[in-house]
Amino acid sequence: MTALLNLEAYRRLAQRRLPRIVFDYIEGGADDESGIRRNREALDALLLDPARLTDVSARDLSATLAGARSAAPLVVAPMGLNGACRPDGDVMLARAAARAGIPFTLSTASNVALAEVARRAGGRLWFQLYVVQREHARALVKGALSAGYEALVLTTDVTVNGRRERDLRNGFAVPLRLTPRIVADAALHPAWTIRQCRHGLPTLPNVDGGVDGGADAGAQAALLQRRMDASFCWDDLAALRDMWPRKLYVKGILNARDAARCVALGADGVIVSNHGGRQLADLAAPISVLPEVVAAVGGAQTLVDSGFRNGRDVVKALALGARAVMLGRPLLYGLAARGETGVDEVLAMFVADIDRTLALLGCPDVVSLGQGRYIRNSL
Ligand SMILES: Cc1cc2nc3c(=O)[nH]c(=O)nc-3n(C[C@H](O)[C@H](O)[C@H](O)COP(=O)(O)O)c2cc1C
């Protein structure tokens, strides 16, 4: 197989391998997609600042995440419907994460049930919670606890579903509806179609009887339409904290005020994110608000995502005080392009890039990166 030299090559291959409706679901953003562009522009505007003549002959990329050592400052972001890229995509991503020595986050909207992923994948598992119904959410949290998930990630930026024009144009829905246009598109992607026919189209087992006491037709319909319980608020976060004894991260935070409140309620960390530009276009790029959040959370951990496409981007976030970066679409490009091997390759590319960047910056380890040098804000 030919070597793919950068993420853009995986992205293009993924685009060729997937029907348009699936690629657009992964790639698309909210509204006019300006949030996606802003995420990139903010990262590109930052420049690094090297320290010369330091000993970087041995470099250490490891970081402490959720109380345990991670081989690299990376986490697989929660993504719903990974099975649309490849059947069993959730397990493939989790296994690749385990091989890379980093945590994997399973979405509530996964296509493999949370207990099954724990049984089959191994490695360090985090569970991302969408609250569609409180009773159902409690059942999921209990299920994640007994299946051994080490951290819970509460996503807070999907009170309602963002408006994604690509999905509207393509007639995207879960479960996928077989319209004549989609059937014609599938015919142009026979490898994808054969795989999906063999396994059956993806379902949502975490809301479909996959969790004891959690099977509920109302919850399933709500998640299918990404219709969340929009009344979930700070008191509910406090109750969730009481229910979940392990590490708790709150995802979708974009300012110091909310970050400080999460930590005051007992969260172990926050994830600065605009959902990869998929929910509301006119939000700050997470990298631009990262320093204010880091300053607000004190000793708690700050993770960040949205728009990170190479190891230099990751190094910039760490230099601004993030503990780790969550990767979303890049891993789906790898998955769609080359299956589990593709995910291994993309993760390896990120790790090699972080390592090379550390050496070229004169920084021996990722912990030193967070000490406030190595970044030059060019704005
Ligand atoms: C296809 C797709 C599905 C996603 N599904 C979820 C989800 O179920 N839960 C969640 O918290 N975030 C979800 N996200 C957001 C990611 O966790 C993450 O915040 C985002 O992808 C990061 O941006 P990036 O894709 O530019 O790396 C999804 C993102 C994508 C691309």
Side-chain angles (χ1 to χ4, degrees):
M1 232 187 258
T2 37
L4 299 180
L5 286 183
N6 53 39
L7 189 68
E8 178 58 17
Y10 284 89
R11 196 187 74 83
R12 276 202 230 110
L13 187 53
Q15 187 166 20
R16 282 210 299 279
R17 298 258 154 104
L18 293 173
R20 181 182 194 132
I21 188 170
V22 178
F23 182 76
D24 275 355
Y25 159 70
I26 292 168
E27 190 74 347
D31 311 312
D32 58 3
E33 300 196 339
S34 56
I36 294 181
R37 290 191 291 278
R38 190 172 310 106
N39 288 343
R40 276 310 317 162
E41 284 160 11
L43 279 160
D44 287 338
L46 288 170
L47 296 178
L48 296 165
D49 194 10
R52 299 300 183 210
L53 296 168
T54 46
D55 179 358
V56 285
S57 52
R59 296 179 295 280
D60 182 7
L61 268 60
S62 68
T64 303
L65 295 177
R69 234 35 214 160
S70 175
L74 299 171
V75 178
V76 179
M79 285 176 288
L81 227 60
N82 290 328
C85 276
R86 289 271 172 153
D88 227 21
D90 297 302
V91 174
M92 290 178 175
L93 285 162
R95 285 184 173 154
R99 276 191 296 277
I102 63 168
F104 163 80
T105 315
L106 187 75
S107 166
T108 292
S110 65
N111 302 127
V112 180
L114 69 88
E116 184 180 338
V117 172
R119 235 182 1 258
R120 293 175 52 211
R124 297 182 55 192
L125 300 176
W126 298 5
F127 182 72
Q128 175 265 328
L129 183 66
Y130 276 142
V131 179
V132 285
Q133 279 182 355
R134 282 147 202 255
E135 202 41 53
H136 173 255
R138 275 191 281 276
L140 283 177
V141 170
K142 280 190 201 139
L145 198 58
S146 62
Y149 283 74
E150 63 174 38
L152 188 67
V153 173
L154 174 73
T155 296
T156 57
D157 54 10
V158 187
T159 44
V160 297
N161 199 24
R163 186 174 189 280
R164 297 183 204 143
E165 286 183 15
R166 296 194 204 209
D167 290 351
L168 294 172
R169 200 173 301 123
N170 293 332
F172 176 86
V174 184
L176 288 177
R177 280 191 308 258
L178 293 179
T179 61
R181 213 167 106 210
I182 292 170
V183 171
D185 200 355
L188 295 173
H189 299 88
W192 180 89
T193 305
I194 288 166
R195 271 191 220 108
Q196 294 289 336
C197 286
R198 242 188 242 141
H199 285 80
L201 288 173
T203 60
L204 300 172
N206 293 329
V207 276
D208 191 16
V211 176
D212 287 346
D216 180 305
Q220 201 189 346
L223 187 63
L224 286 174
Q225 292 155 36
R226 281 172 280 179
R227 206 165 14 88
M228 305 301 162
D229 180 344
S231 71
F232 193 92
C233 61
W234 291 106
D235 290 344
D236 301 301
L237 174 59
L240 187 65
R241 176 66 289 185
D242 289 342
M243 269 194 81
W244 177 260
R246 302 186 190 141
K247 300 291 181 189
L248 174 65
Y249 291 91
V250 184
K251 178 169 181 275
I253 297 302
L254 282 171
N255 58 51
R257 181 193 61 233
D258 284 353
R261 198 158 176 191
C262 291
V263 174
L265 286 174
D268 298 285
V270 296
I271 300 163
V272 185
S273 168
N274 63 19
H275 215 102
R278 295 167 71 80
Q279 283 297 103
L280 179 63
D282 302 76
L283 295 175
I287 192 79
S288 342
V289 297
L290 180 62
E292 74 170 76
V293 172
V294 170
V297 300
Q301 298 196 337
T302 306
L303 275 59
V304 63
D305 73 20
S306 300
F308 289 78
R309 294 295 177 267
N310 55 58
R312 285 116 55 218
D313 293 339
V314 174
V315 167
K316 289 174 184 177
L318 301 184
L320 290 173
R323 181 60 66 102
V325 169
M326 277 191 158
L327 299 178
R329 294 180 186 87
L331 303 179
L332 295 185
Y333 299 153
L335 182 66
R338 285 184 171 172
E340 204 166 322
T341 307
V343 185
D344 286 338
E345 290 168 353
V346 170
L347 281 172
M349 226 161 56
F350 269 88
V351 168
D353 209 17
I354 296 169
D355 180 57
R356 183 185 325 102
T357 306
L358 283 183
L360 292 171
L361 273 183
C363 179
D365 52 62
V366 299
V367 178
S368 310
L369 265 180
Q371 288 162 1
R373 32 194 314 202
Y374 305 110
I375 190 104
R376 180 186 286 280
N377 195 337
S378 69
L379 290 171

